[in-house]
Amino acid sequence: MKLFTDLVFCSLVLGVISQSWVEFLGQAFYGAKDMWRAYSDMREANFKNSDKYFHARGNYDAAQRGPGGVWAAEVISDFREAYPRVTDLLKHGDSGHGLEDSLADQEANRWGRSGKNPNHYRPRRLPDKY
């Protein structure tokens, strides 16, 4: 856990070098809110095979905020995929997904963070609300 904390801190410092702390942290805050909104929408939609779309959309929206949003999206996505059992058991029970699903989620995360259209992962008949 100490290594993870150190890596998060180092990535934060490197991300802030190019701009002011206030601007970077603001982008990170709103990027985290974008990630939470995508997660909440995914839980609300409860639509089969839509998780990759919501992963890509949350990362895309956060990345549009700037370097702070990209940083927040990466930290949140990496934590979520590294510790899925902890987050699943705390709120929703065991997801039952393994390494293959986690790797596919990370690919969707990178797709969104890179600025590519998250609709690439959008399943057919997902309500327009999302």
Side-chain angles (χ1 to χ4, degrees):
M1 189 58 141
K2 184 177 182 334
L3 176 61
F4 180 75
T5 304
D6 290 344
L7 290 172
V8 168
F9 179 74
C10 288
S11 68
L12 174 63
V13 170
L14 290 173
V16 173
I17 288 174
S18 65
Q19 57 187 310
S20 76
W21 278 91
V22 174
E23 184 180 1
F24 184 88
L25 293 176
Q27 294 168 356
F29 174 78
Y30 286 107
K33 283 182 70 172
D34 291 332
M35 296 289 289
W36 179 256
R37 187 176 54 252
Y39 178 74
S40 297
D41 286 349
M42 180 178 69
R43 302 308 292 178
E44 179 186 304
N46 195 25
F47 196 88
K48 190 173 185 173
N49 298 321
S50 66
D51 65 321
K52 306 301 180 275
Y53 165 71
F54 287 107
H55 280 267
R57 195 194 85 191
N59 278 269
Y60 176 85
D61 291 345
Q64 297 306 299
R65 304 270 180 194
V70 171
W71 176 82
E74 189 168 3
V75 169
I76 291 167
S77 296
D78 288 349
F79 180 83
R80 173 70 176 117
E81 296 307 323
Y83 301 101
R85 299 293 177 232
V86 173
T87 55
D88 285 348
L89 293 175
L90 286 176
K91 192 162 186 174
H92 304 289
D94 188 3
S95 68
H97 296 126
L99 180 60
E100 185 177 312
D101 189 61
S102 181
L103 293 173
D105 287 347
Q106 284 290 51
E107 176 57 34
N109 293 335
R110 285 188 295 274
W111 180 277
R113 273 195 309 270
S114 72
K116 294 178 182 173
N117 189 344
N119 287 324
H120 172 76
Y121 289 98
R122 186 182 182 87
R124 291 181 183 183
R125 294 189 215 118
L126 179 67
D128 290 340
K129 174 183 178 181
Y130 306 108

